[in-house]
């Protein structure tokens, strides 16, 4: 944080000479002393004054809770500030004018003070009964608070107690403005007395227990939350201001905490582990709190009001009988499982045994790890684990022990008596590890949060070259993600220092490692996608292999003098890829096309049609269009980028350009990340606000969204409309085409429950993103990979741009446009079609008015071998791609739209300058400590989403929108932030660029109501046009009799199918648990409604597509093996087995529905048995249902 240079020792205000004012000063007599809050208006402040200077000036008169330096709708300071007090100051100092404020430069400013007459109501309406209003903040003093956890359903183990002593300060608050409960307390230790608070959002509470007590004047409340709340420590307010900030609140003085410990110094060198050393309060695991109050009459009235307010937010206060509290005791389980035991070596003397015995841990690591999975998530508590429980685990088969523990993790419920698990009969072979495709592996993962660490059940992931090379040690890799507490999602950057403790914990983890049992995982490296999502790989070394050796094998990086570049090159080795192992390509180096300091061929080269066909065959790539891909995104040793199919190359040839070479690798295997295919064009909020600023009328967007909503509704009942929508709005995973194929097979006609459920999910997903992202389908458009015109035929962009007269004709404007080539593999007639004429070209995200270009689509016969890509010119003065948000050709996707209604009035606004920031060399070899520091600095400065959010808000609120100076500055900062992982230069967003008001469509529920306004601009109108739809699967409808009656299935085959289904369902639940996905329908279809937010929605959609495909490929192969088939596509042997899979699924669902009805209860989504298993063979089920290729 950039603190201002003002000195708090300067006198704050100089009063004017005691002379009679030149004119009368009229003042009304106010009852301001009784106000909840009072605001003083300060007029005439300098334009560069800071909130810190104002705080020094005015805090001497009372408790400042907010300071705001005002700006107009153009983002310009008006010379006015407002200082808020709560409670009001003792004296009406604002009645003496003028005042002189001492500034940090040693000068004075004369200002005029006045009482701001605009007063808030300080009440909050009930969401149930708007006529009922509650005080904005309700505060009760408490006698004591106990920290601990529930060791039994009615028993709390108290680990620490704080009593309200002479220093006072222990309060329970309800903050209606922020919809949260707050507990504030002082904590005294030998060397410090500090003020803390923790907050629990209403959304994280469903019940507060009121403990029955014999003392009528006492009230005891028990709060138990499933996720750790946020803890804060109060700092001196004078140290919490930004020198350029224009807005400060008292909340800025509260700093986030990760540990409250007796020995803070010990943390610096301690590895991260589930068991913390000497905590005063274990923030992450003691998540039950007992508050004791002594009630006066007034307190009782206030308590009743608090209880009613909580009920209005669906938080009940329930009576708790038979509550018990037990005192703190150390759990013995750690001594059992951490204590090594000797491995026997037959008949030896005692001395021989002492000398020769080898030490082994008492639990196999896989079992120990899964035990910590259960403990870390709170499904088991170490205080409930007895020696007998550990002995039972030790003495049973390792796989069976994992079965038990993984079953607990899959249930996601607290187990109070762990010994009961050994008697359960329903535990299935969940820990079995069925074979996975060769490009996948089971990966252990951990999530490090500010207060604790969570381990996750191993799940199938697509591998990278490092994990593949060290496959015999794959179980020693740990993929770690740094995130906020459960439910909170990603750790976001901040322009303040309030999160420094969190970032320090991240650095400690990277430096000191992670302990699990007898393994000490140390930092290895991070992939480029991982880096952006705050993740890294760790490795537990063995005597012949450690992290530094692995980094050495990856390549020679010694000549790279920049930390950011060094990290990016290491990251290339961790790209999720599929290796092509059946051939060794012949590569040749070719020159880049460079001009005017630009590389027109940056990241792109060529591949022969023969080698492309080999890749397609080996990797099993199948496109719905039937055409082979034209472009592959690849890794080859130290090279990266894309390969475009070229008829000029022979055999297994490929070319590499200098711009693609990044480092000297020690392996040269061709690896494929993804390939070109058609995806539909969809608008988003950023593109809409830019197009609106360029002159596209609001009605165009509203009309298209209205039509899309109507079509989605009709698609649920109309087969033709469903097919039309699914075949037009094609997602990157092309699952809409898969669903369309199921409809063509008649599954919508018979209301097959799985197909109907998936259709409902797709509709809910589309509507969700219309509401939240303005994801409007544009039929005349596509979202495609970009490549270069190797023939140099296309006309490029020349500078200065040819001038166009304001009254120029349409044809004259078109003649000036640069050219592109776009050929779709399937047009309206299901034949290839070349798109001609003017079209929009953009890249996500587009924030600057010059990011969206207008180009001319032309036909070039020599390029017709390229389909479903955008071909860009290599001629001209500046690459067209570079003007689109600074794009290149190493794997970027581009939005092309040829819808005439969306062509703006203003074409090709001057583009932004995307010249990268100057990199500073380190001056010495890069070390792992440099890498981890870079990682943490990135986390703190990664304000990409903050910049984009601020840009969106200001573009809506400011008159000039995206053309305003503030939005232009934010667009430049966004570009800098995007390149941070390459340049190492952070984008520092100053406080003056932060919005003070938010449009309603951004749904800032945690902001004060007076800072929210109802937007009348296009995004506000689009938001108001959409109503969200819940996803409700269909589970009580009959399954398709065409399949159920297709074959007479033997019981043995049904048993085999049922066994495989258990394994499949478990694998699906692992994915659901890992990514916080609610239903299996989302995993199968990739239309995920909500997830853990480890990555953004678009990236996650691609990621879950790869995960889902790997899951399906693996189990299709396993089904074929069990069925004794030659392969998954062998119809004769697989068709009966697919029917068996369908019958087993139908039987399980029927049993679940019957059981629910007999019990008089509704079947909830989480209780529905898996339904997707037979749809691993959806094409085969379609053929069976339509009686094709088989005789009935």
């Amino acid at each position: 944080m950039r603190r201002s240079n003002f000195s708090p020792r300067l006198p704050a205000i100089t009063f004017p000479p005691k002379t009679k004012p030149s004119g009368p000063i009229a003042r009304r007599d106010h009852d301001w002393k009784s106000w909840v809050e009072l605001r003083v208006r300060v007029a005439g402040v300098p334009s560069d004054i800071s909130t810190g200077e104002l705080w020094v000036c005015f805090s001497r008169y009372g408790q400042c809770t907010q300071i705001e330096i005002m700006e107009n709708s153009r983002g310009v300071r008006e010379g006015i500030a407002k200082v808020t007090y709560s409670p009001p100051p003792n004296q009406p100092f604002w009645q003496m004018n003028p005042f002189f404020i001492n500034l940090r430069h040693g000068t004075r400013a004369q200002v005029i003070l006045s009482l701001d007459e605009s007063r808030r109501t300080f009440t909050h309406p009930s969401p149930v009964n708007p006529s009922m209003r509650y005080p904005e903040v309700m505060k009760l003093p408490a006698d004591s608070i106990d920290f601990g956890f529930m060791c039994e359903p009615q028993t709390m183990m108290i680990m620490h107690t704080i009593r309200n002593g002479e220093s006072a300060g222990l309060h329970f608050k309800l903050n209606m403005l922020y919809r949260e409960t707050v507990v504030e307390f002082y904590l005294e230790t030998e060397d410090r007395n500090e003020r803390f608070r923790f907050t629990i959002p209403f959304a994280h509470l469903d019940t507060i227990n009121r403990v029955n007590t014999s003392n009528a004047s006492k009230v005891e409340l028990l709060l138990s939350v499933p996720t750790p709340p946020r803890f804060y420590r109060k700092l001196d307010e004078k140290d919490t201001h930004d020198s350029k900030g224009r807005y400060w609140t008292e909340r800025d003085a509260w700093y986030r905490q990760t540990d409250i410990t007796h020995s803070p110094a010990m943390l610096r060198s301690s590895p991260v582990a589930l068991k913390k050393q000497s905590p005063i309060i274990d923030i992450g695991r003691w998540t039950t709190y007992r508050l004791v109050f002594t009630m006066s009459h007034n307190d009782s009235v206030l308590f009743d009001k608090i209880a009613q307010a909580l009920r209005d937010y669906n938080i009940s206060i329930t009576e708790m009988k038979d509550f018990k509290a037990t005192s703190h005791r150390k759990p013995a389980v750690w001594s059992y499982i951490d204590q090594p035991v000797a491995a026997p070596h037959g008949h030896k003397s005692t001395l021989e045994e002492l000398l020769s015995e080898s030490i082994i841990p008492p639990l196999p690591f896989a079992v120990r790890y899964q035990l910590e999975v259960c403990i870390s998530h709170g499904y088991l508590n170490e205080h409930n684990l007895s020696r007998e429980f550990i002995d039972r685990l030790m003495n049973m088969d390792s796989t069976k022990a994992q079965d038990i523990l993984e079953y607990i993790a899959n249930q996601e419920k607290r187990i109070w008596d762990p010994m009961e698990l050994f008697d359960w009969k329903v535990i299935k072979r969940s820990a079995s590890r069925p074979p996975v495709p060769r490009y996948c592996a089971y990966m252990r993962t951990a999530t490090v949060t500010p207060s604790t660490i969570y381990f996750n059940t191993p799940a199938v992931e697509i591998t990278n070259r490092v994990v593949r090379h060290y496959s015999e040690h794959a179980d020693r890799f740990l993929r770690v993600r740094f995130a906020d507490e459960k439910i909170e999602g990603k750790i976001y950057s901040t322009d303040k220092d309030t999160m420094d403790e969190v970032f320090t914990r991240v650095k400690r983890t990277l430096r000191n490692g992670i302990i699990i049992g007898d393994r000490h995982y140390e930092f290895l490296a991070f992939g480029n996608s991982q880096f952006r999502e705050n993740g890294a790989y760790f490795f537990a070394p063995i005597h012949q292999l450690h992290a530094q050796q692995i980094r050495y094998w990856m390549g020679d990086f010694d000549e790279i003098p920049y930390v950011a570049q060094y990290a990016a090159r290491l990251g290339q080795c961790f790209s999720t890829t599929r290796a092509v192992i059946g051939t060794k390509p012949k590569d040749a180096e070719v020159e880049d096309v460079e001009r005017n300091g630009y590389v027109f061929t940056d990241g792109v080269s060529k591949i022969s049609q023969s080698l492309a066909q080999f890749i397609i065959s080996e990797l099993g790539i199948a496109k719905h269009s039937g055409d082979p891909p034209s472009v592959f995104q690849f890794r080859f040793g130290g090279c990266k980028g894309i390969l475009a199919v070229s008829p000029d190359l022979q055999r297994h040839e490929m070319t590499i350009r200098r711009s693609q070479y990044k480092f000297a690798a020690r392996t040269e295997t061709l690896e494929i990340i993804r390939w070109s295919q058609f995806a539909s064009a969809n608008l988003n909020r950023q593109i809409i606000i830019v197009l609106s600023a360029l002159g596209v009328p609001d009605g165009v967007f509203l009309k298209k969204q209205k039509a899309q909503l109507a079509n989605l509704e009709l698609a649920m009942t109309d087969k033709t409309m469903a097919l039309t929508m699914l075949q037009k709005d094609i997602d990157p995973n092309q699952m809409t085409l898969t669903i369309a194929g199921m409809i063509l097979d008649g599954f919508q006609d018979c209301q097959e429950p799985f197909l109907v459920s998936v259709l409902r999910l797709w509709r809910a997903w589309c509507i969700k993103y219309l509401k939240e992202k303005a994801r409007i389908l544009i039929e005349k458009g596509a979202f495609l990979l970009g490549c270069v015109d190797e023939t140099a035929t296309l006309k490029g962009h020349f500078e200065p741009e040819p001038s166009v007269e304001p009254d120029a004709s349409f044809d004259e404007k078109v003649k000036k446009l640069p050219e592109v080539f776009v050929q779709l593999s399937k047009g309206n007639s299901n034949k290839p079609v070349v798109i001609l004429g003017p079209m929009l070209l953009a890249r996500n995200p587009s924030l600057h008015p010059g990011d969206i270009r207008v180009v001319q689509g032309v036909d070039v016969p020599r390029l017709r071998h390229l389909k479903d890509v955008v071909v860009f010119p290599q001629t001209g003065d500046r690459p067209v791609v570079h003007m689109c948000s600074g794009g290149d050709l190493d794997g970027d996707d581009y939005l092309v739209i040829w819808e005439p209604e969306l062509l703006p009035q203003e074409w090709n606004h001057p583009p932004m300058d995307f010249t990268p920031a100057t990199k500073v060399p380190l001056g010495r070899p890069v070390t792992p400590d440099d890498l981890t520091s870079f990682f943490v600095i990135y986390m703190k400065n990664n304000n990409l989403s903050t910049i984009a959010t601020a840009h969106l808000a200001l573009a809506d609120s400011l008159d000039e929108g995206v053309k305003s100076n503030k939005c232009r500055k934010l667009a430049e900062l966004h570009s800098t932030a995007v390149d941070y992982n390459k340049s190492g230069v952070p984008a520092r967003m100053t406080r003056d660029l932060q919005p003070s008001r938010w449009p309603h469509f951004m749904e800032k529920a945690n902001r004060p109501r007076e800072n929210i306004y109802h937007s009348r601009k296009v995004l506000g109108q689009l938001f108001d046009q959409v109503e969200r739809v819940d996803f409700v699967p269909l589970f009580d409808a009959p399954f398709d009799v065409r399949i159920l009656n297709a074959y007479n299935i033997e019981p043995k085959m049904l048993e085999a199918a049922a066994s495989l289904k258990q394994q499949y369902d478990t694998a699906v639940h692992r994915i659901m648990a890992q990514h916080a996905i609610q239903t299996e329908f989302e995993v199968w279809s990739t239309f995920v409604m909500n997830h853990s937010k480890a990555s953004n929605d678009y990236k996650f959609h691609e990621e879950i597509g790869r995960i889902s495909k790997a899951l399906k490929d693996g189990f299709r192969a396993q089904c074929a093996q069990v069925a004794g088939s030659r392969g998954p596509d062998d119809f004769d042997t697989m068709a009966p087995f697919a029917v068996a899979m369908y019958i087993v699924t139908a039987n399980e669902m029927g049993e679940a529905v019957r059981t629910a009805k007999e019990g008089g209860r509704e079947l909830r989504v989480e209780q529905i048995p898996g339904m997707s298993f037979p749809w691993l063979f959806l094409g085969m089920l379609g053929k069976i249902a339509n009686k094709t290729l088989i005789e009935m």
Side-chain angles (χ1 to χ4, degrees), residues 833-1087:
V833 58
V834 176
I835 307 300
L836 304 176
M839 64 179 73
L840 293 177
L841 177 73
R843 175 175 169 266
N844 287 323
S846 293
L847 276 65
H848 188 273
D851 285 346
I852 299 180
R853 315 304 296 172
V854 180
V855 295
Q856 173 76 347
V858 298
D859 187 13
V860 179
R862 291 175 63 193
L863 297 176
R864 288 182 184 167
H865 61 284
L866 297 172
K867 299 173 185 174
D868 296 330
V869 293
V870 188
V871 185
F872 290 97
Q874 60 165 277
T875 62
D877 293 329
R878 181 177 177 181
V880 174
V881 294
H882 191 260
M883 295 184 285
C884 295
S885 307
D888 54 30
L889 296 173
D890 71 349
D892 286 358
D893 295 290
Y894 292 87
L895 182 72
V896 286
I897 295 174
W898 51 94
E899 169 59 70
E901 284 187 310
L902 288 173
L903 281 176
Q905 295 176 11
E906 180 184 355
W907 287 14
N908 292 338
H909 186 95
M912 197 167 74
D913 181 7
F914 293 100
T915 303
T918 302
K919 296 182 287 188
V920 180
L922 188 61
R924 57 171 175 78
V926 177
T927 66
D929 189 64
D930 294 323
L931 295 174
T932 58
S933 294
F934 175 64
F935 184 96
V936 177
I937 293 170
Y938 171 78
M939 281 187 68
K940 181 168 184 179
N941 292 284
N942 179 24
N943 46 14
L944 200 63
S945 61
T946 304
I947 293 170
T949 300
H951 181 274
L952 185 63
L954 292 175
D956 188 85
S957 64
L958 297 178
D959 294 342
E960 296 177 283
V962 296
K963 295 183 178 180
S964 66
N965 288 334
K966 283 198 170 187
C967 284
R968 289 177 185 273
K969 287 181 183 177
L970 286 166
E972 292 172 4
L973 283 172
H974 195 274
S975 176
T976 303
V978 167
D979 287 338
Y980 178 76
N981 64 325
K982 302 174 186 175
S983 68
V985 178
R988 303 195 184 278
M989 179 180 170
T990 53
R991 295 282 294 275
D992 61 305
L993 294 176
Q994 291 185 339
S996 58
R997 299 170 67 240
W998 301 88
H1000 74 291
F1001 63 79
M1002 295 186 74
E1003 299 185 280
K1004 295 289 184 179
N1006 61 335
R1007 299 284 177 174
R1009 282 174 295 144
E1010 63 268 22
N1011 292 348
I1012 306 294
Y1013 68 93
H1014 196 98
S1015 170
R1016 302 297 179 186
K1017 289 188 177 180
V1018 61
L1019 293 181
Q1021 297 176 61
L1022 289 168
F1023 180 83
D1024 293 342
Q1025 197 178 57
V1026 181
E1027 294 294 333
R1028 288 184 176 90
V1029 174
D1030 292 332
F1031 166 51
V1032 181
L1034 177 67
F1035 51 82
D1036 54 357
F1039 280 55
D1040 193 337
V1041 295
R1042 299 177 300 169
I1043 300 173
L1044 294 173
N1045 299 329
Y1047 290 94
N1048 291 321
I1049 306 298
E1050 296 293 330
K1052 187 175 181 180
M1053 183 176 288
L1054 290 174
E1055 289 176 8
S1059 176
L1060 274 176
K1061 185 177 185 297
Q1062 292 174 8
Q1063 297 179 40
Y1064 171 83
D1065 289 348
T1066 297
V1068 171
H1069 277 88
R1070 286 178 186 141
I1071 296 170
M1072 290 166 58
Q1074 183 178 2
H1075 299 285
I1077 299 172
Q1078 295 301 308
T1079 69
E1080 65 154 349
F1081 303 99
E1082 295 164 82
V1083 175
W1084 186 90
S1085 69
T1086 75
F1087 298 124

Side-chain angles (χ1 to χ4, degrees), residues 75-219:
V76 178
R77 292 193 176 189
E78 299 178 308
I80 295 172
K82 293 184 179 182
V83 181
T84 304
Y85 292 89
S86 181
N90 294 325
Q91 300 296 327
F93 66 90
W94 57 88
Q95 292 183 359
M96 299 186 68
N97 276 306
F99 278 118
F100 291 89
I101 303 178
N102 288 320
L103 303 175
R104 64 182 181 273
H105 307 298
T107 58
R108 296 194 305 169
Q110 178 178 310
V111 298
I112 301 297
L113 306 182
S114 60
L115 186 64
D116 191 334
E117 300 290 346
S118 59
R119 292 169 54 197
R120 297 192 294 113
T121 60
F122 307 109
T123 60
H124 189 84
S126 163
V128 178
N129 179 13
S131 63
M132 175 67 181
R133 303 190 73 88
Y134 298 106
E136 206 168 79
V137 177
M138 293 178 274
K139 180 168 72 172
L140 273 176
D143 298 343
S144 64
I145 180 171
D146 297 317
F147 297 84
F149 51 85
M150 301 303 290
C151 57
E152 295 176 10
Q154 301 291 113
T155 303
M156 175 185 180
M157 181 171 288
I158 297 172
M159 307 299 286
H160 188 78
T161 299
I162 294 175
R163 305 192 187 281
N164 205 353
E166 293 181 1
S167 59
L170 178 55
H171 291 96
F172 173 78
K173 297 181 181 179
L174 219 60
N175 190 319
M176 305 301 294
L177 191 65
Y178 292 96
R179 298 180 181 87
E180 64 186 11
T181 60
V182 182
V183 177
E184 291 186 5
F185 59 93
Y186 279 91
L187 183 63
E188 297 184 42
T189 60
E190 293 180 0
D191 58 345
R192 59 192 188 275
N193 181 18
E194 296 175 306
R195 190 176 173 192
F196 292 87
R197 71 157 50 146
F198 64 88
T199 62
I200 305 175
F202 288 172
H204 296 179
L205 279 172
D206 54 22
T207 301
I208 295 176
N209 291 303
R210 181 172 180 174
V211 178
N212 286 343
T213 63
S214 57
N215 190 335
S217 66
K218 295 285 187 181
V219 170

Side-chain angles (χ1 to χ4, degrees), residues 41 69 79 123 171 181 216 277 341 469 489 519 591 606 654 671 709 767 777 779 855 930 948 954 987 1026 1084 1160:
R41 186 176 187 269
I69 302 169
T123 60
H171 291 96
T181 60
Q277 301 294 327
V341 296
H469 182 76
R519 293 189 183 182
E591 295 297 321
K606 299 185 288 186
M654 56 184 278
E671 301 166 82
L709 287 168
I767 291 174
L777 169 66
E779 295 182 13
V855 295
D930 294 323
L954 292 175
V1026 181
W1084 186 90

Side-chain angles (χ1 to χ4, degrees), residues 735-749:
M735 285 303 298
T736 57
L737 297 178
T738 298
I739 299 169
M742 297 168 71
I743 292 175
L744 287 170
D745 284 330
F747 293 116
Q748 187 180 22
D749 294 334

Side-chain angles (χ1 to χ4, degrees), residues 543-664:
H543 66 278
Q544 74 271 29
L545 185 64
H546 52 76
Q548 185 59 38
Q549 289 173 292
I550 296 175
R551 286 191 290 267
Y552 175 80
W553 171 84
M554 289 159 59
D556 183 2
F557 309 99
D558 291 344
E559 300 303 315
I560 301 175
Y562 309 104
V563 178
Q565 190 177 32
Y566 190 105
R569 300 304 170 242
L570 278 174
Q572 276 181 229
C573 300
F574 290 92
S575 297
T576 298
T577 58
R578 295 179 62 179
V580 179
I581 60 176
T583 185
K584 182 174 176 56
K586 181 181 180 182
D587 61 294
E589 186 174 333
V590 294
E591 295 297 321
D592 275 300
V593 178
E594 300 184 60
R595 196 180 307 112
N596 302 329
Y598 297 107
V599 181
F600 286 72
T601 52
D602 189 6
V604 59
S605 56
K606 299 185 288 186
I607 185 173
S608 70
Q609 292 175 326
S610 174
L611 181 54
Q613 196 59 52
F614 184 88
I615 293 169
I616 293 166
S617 175
E618 180 169 316
L619 301 187
I621 298 172
K623 289 181 63 182
H624 283 276
S625 66
D627 291 311
S630 296
V631 168
F632 299 87
Q633 188 176 12
F634 81 107
R635 298 287 186 266
F636 181 68
C639 303
K640 67 186 284 281
I642 62 169
L643 299 169
V645 172
S646 171
D648 300 337
L649 300 185
Q650 304 299 316
R651 297 183 294 279
H652 285 189
E653 293 178 340
M654 56 184 278
T655 62
I656 296 293
R657 284 192 162 98
R658 181 66 194 177
S659 62
Q660 296 180 304
Y661 177 82
K662 305 301 178 182
F663 68 92

Side-chain angles (χ1 to χ4, degrees), residues 363-418:
L363 284 175
F365 180 78
V367 179
R368 167 65 184 260
Y369 175 84
Q370 198 62 40
L371 179 62
E372 294 212 23
V373 170
C374 296
I375 295 174
S376 68
H377 286 276
Y379 309 139
L380 294 174
N381 187 286
E382 58 266 46
H383 289 80
N384 296 120
L385 301 180
S386 63
R387 181 60 186 259
E388 184 183 2
F389 177 82
I390 298 300
D391 288 343
R392 291 283 294 270
L393 286 180
M394 288 176 57
N395 293 328
M396 66 172 51
D397 177 74
S398 173
T399 301
K400 187 175 180 181
Q402 289 180 75
D403 279 338
I404 292 173
L405 296 170
E406 188 167 325
Y407 182 80
I408 297 171
N410 290 341
Q411 296 302 300
E412 297 184 356
K413 294 178 181 178
R414 175 68 183 273
I415 306 298
W416 300 104
D417 182 4

